[in-house]
Structures are given as C-alpha cells and as structure tokens.
Amino acid sequence: MDELKYCPSTLKEGFSTYSPEACRLLFGGKQVPHILEFDGPGNDSGDFHDYATHIGRISLSGVQPKGSLVLKNGVLSKPEEGECGQYILKPAPVSYALLEKKYCPANEHLTMQMASQAYGIETAANALCFFRDGEAAYITKRFDIASDGSKYPQEDFASLAGLTKANGGSDYKYNVLSYEDCADIIRRYVRAAQVDVLRFFRVVLFNYITLNDDAHLKNFSLIDRGNGDYRLSPAYDLINTSLHLHKPQIFALEKGLFKEGMKKTDTHTVDRSDFEEFGRRIGLPDRTVKREIDTFAAESPLALELIGRSFLSEELKKNYKLSYQYRCSTLK
C-alpha cells in the first residue's frame, strides 16, 4: 500500500501511521502499527474467516462481517479462544449488492470523525487499519469493556422497549418506534435525562445531515459505566449510507421523528420545521432547539476538511460533500 499522508484515525496531516493523539485515545498511549499481521476477508487465505466471531446485518441491505482484536505486545492481534476482544474490526463487505462496498470502512471512519471533531459528539474511539494485503478495515475500541476486562451493563433501545422478532416482527428494529419514542426511553431510564435527550437530539440531527439511514433501535443504547446510573452510550455505527445503497431513505425508523409517523417520500418533505417540532416534543427549550439546528444548518469547515482528507475515493468525497451540503441547506 502507498505511504500514508494522514493519520488513519484523526485524519491529521503529516502522519504516516497513528498520531500520538490517536494512540492515546485508542491504545492507552502505546504506539501500535496500523497494518495487521493477517489478510482480510477478500483474500483467499481465509485468515479472517478463521477467527470471525460475529456476523451482523446492517441496513446497507447486506451483512458486514465483524471480528474481535486484542492489543498484545504492542500489536493488534486475533484473540485466543475464550479471550474477550478489546476492539471490534469491521472489514469491507465482500459478497453483497452494495455500491462501492470496499469504501464502507473509510465511510464509517470519516463519519465518526466528523461527529467527534466537527460537532463535539461523544463517539466510540475509532480508526482505519489495514490488512496485510492492503485492504482497509474499520476498527473501534469497545466502550463497554472496563480496564479489568469486565463488561459494563449496556442495553440497546430495542431491548429497553421490550421489542423482539416475536412481538415486533422481523423488522422490529425499524418499523415499530419513532425517534420521539426513543427520547421517551431516555427519560424513563436516565436520571440526567435532559442532558442525554439533548445529546440524542444532536445525534439525530447529525445523522440527517450525513445521510445515515442506519440509525435503528439497536444503534442507540444506554450504558452504566460503574456508577449505578445509565447514560446514553457514545455514538457508534455512524455512516453515510447513501454512498452504498441503491435506494437510501431519510430515516432508519419508518415512523421517522414522530410517534404518529411522517410523510417523507424524499428530502423535500423534511425540513427545519420538522426538527423544531421534534425538539419541542422531546422537551427541549425553544432556544436550545434553535441553537442546535442553526449549528447543523451551517456547513462546518472542519467537516469539509475531513472529507477531503478521508480515505474515500475522489468521486465518493465529492458525493459526500455535495450530499452533506445539501442536507445542511434544508435546515436553514
């Protein structure tokens, strides 16, 4: 693979591997190579398939293989049998009808970095890494694992709502609740609910301007990090799905923002007034709603810089930028 010009985590210029900032966030300050010592799922060696621990559907209308990694002797390695992984590894899908699927890892990485750096949204620490054969993969540090290896209690919104395939159907993650219902879940279980409802509102706005229609009920969760209080988990699985889907939607949840559902056949049916009403319904003050929508309506220069430095192809960078700018404009 070519020598890198940008940190494959922070996208800061002038780094041919992970920057010190990235190493601090991801690896406790240790310098770790960005190249793995085995091949990816696209290689016939079978290295990845030999240890993959989970296959999970994402709403890119396909299945994305996932694996676990541990940090041993300064290197990201496959865990031993029974060993708890500290990181989740997501390579590009190899056998599903997606557009530009090899850039799925770069897309998710960019979108997560935009959320964190440009909009101050708390996210799971993340980066790109590269298999021995040069194929890119997305890596994220597990925020549900404590330093002693124990697991923090965490429940996704589908579980908190008591939804399963048995009582909600096969698409229960998408077609039962709205984002307004999700805010009710936060108020029901979170002591500092007003703080986390605002955090949730900002993530919903961010997903809209970055065209992420993958924000279903299992991509939001509450976590108790040891103090007895549940809080909204850091954001995860953020991705611009429009770059990979033949027929992207506006929202993952079919009802959209409101409990009674929405008419939203295209982006022209969703605008600032919908998010103003959404903010009021979930209990945020009008001035707070206005401030946040104004923030997301204004293009972020840093977000545009990050798109330009990302590991997407030049064509996808252009498409991402244009779609992002258009969605921002609909909030003015």
Coordinates of all heavy atoms in Angstrom, one line a residue, residues 27 50 53 56 59 65 112 123 188 212 304 324:
F27 N -5.2 3.3 22.3 CA -4.2 2.3 22.7 C -3.5 2.6 24.0 O -2.5 2.1 24.4 CB -3.2 2.0 21.7 CG -3.7 1.8 20.3 CD1 -3.4 2.6 19.2 CD2 -4.6 0.7 20.1 CE1 -3.9 2.4 17.9 CE2 -5.2 0.5 18.8 CZ -4.8 1.3 17.7
D50 N -11.3 -17.5 9.6 CA -10.9 -18.5 10.6 C -11.2 -18.0 12.1 O -11.3 -18.8 13.0 CB -9.4 -18.8 10.5 CG -9.1 -19.7 9.3 OD1 -10.1 -20.3 8.8 OD2 -7.9 -19.7 8.9
T53 N -15.9 -13.6 14.7 CA -16.8 -14.0 15.8 C -18.2 -13.6 15.7 O -19.0 -14.0 16.5 CB -16.2 -13.4 17.1 OG1 -16.2 -12.0 17.0 CG2 -14.8 -13.9 17.4
G56 N -23.3 -9.7 11.5 CA -24.4 -8.9 11.8 C -24.9 -8.1 10.7 O -24.2 -7.6 9.9
S59 N -28.1 -2.0 7.9 CA -29.1 -1.6 7.0 C -28.6 -1.0 5.7 O -29.2 -0.2 5.1 CB -30.2 -0.7 7.6 OG -29.5 0.5 8.0
P65 N -19.2 -8.5 7.9 CA -18.5 -9.4 8.9 C -17.8 -8.6 9.9 O -17.4 -7.5 9.7 CB -17.5 -10.1 8.0 CG -17.3 -9.2 6.8 CD -18.6 -8.5 6.6
M112 N -17.7 9.0 11.7 CA -17.4 9.1 13.1 C -16.5 10.2 13.5 O -16.7 10.9 14.5 CB -16.8 7.7 13.5 CG -17.8 6.6 13.4 SD -19.0 6.5 14.8 CE -18.0 6.0 16.2
T123 N -18.2 9.9 20.7 CA -18.2 8.7 19.9 C -17.3 7.6 20.5 O -16.4 7.9 21.3 CB -17.8 9.0 18.5 OG1 -16.4 9.4 18.5 CG2 -18.6 10.1 17.8
R188 N -37.2 7.6 30.6 CA -37.7 6.6 31.5 C -36.5 6.0 32.3 O -36.7 5.6 33.5 CB -38.4 5.5 30.7 CG -39.1 4.4 31.5 CD -39.7 3.3 30.6 NE -40.5 4.0 29.6 CZ -40.6 3.5 28.3 NH1 -39.9 2.4 28.0 NH2 -41.3 4.1 27.4
N212 N -27.3 9.3 7.2 CA -27.2 8.0 7.8 C -28.6 7.4 8.1 O -29.3 7.8 9.0 CB -26.4 8.1 9.1 CG -26.4 6.8 9.9 OD1 -26.6 5.7 9.3 ND2 -26.1 6.9 11.2
L304 N -15.7 19.6 6.2 CA -15.3 19.6 4.8 C -13.9 19.2 4.6 O -13.5 18.5 3.7 CB -15.6 21.0 4.1 CG -17.1 21.3 4.0 CD1 -17.2 22.8 3.5 CD2 -17.9 20.4 3.1
Y324 N -23.9 16.3 1.9 CA -23.8 16.9 3.2 C -24.2 18.4 3.1 O -25.0 18.9 3.9 CB -22.3 16.8 3.7 CG -22.0 17.7 4.8 CD1 -22.4 17.5 6.1 CD2 -21.1 18.8 4.6 CE1 -22.1 18.4 7.2 CE2 -20.8 19.7 5.6 CZ -21.3 19.5 6.9 OH -20.9 20.4 7.9

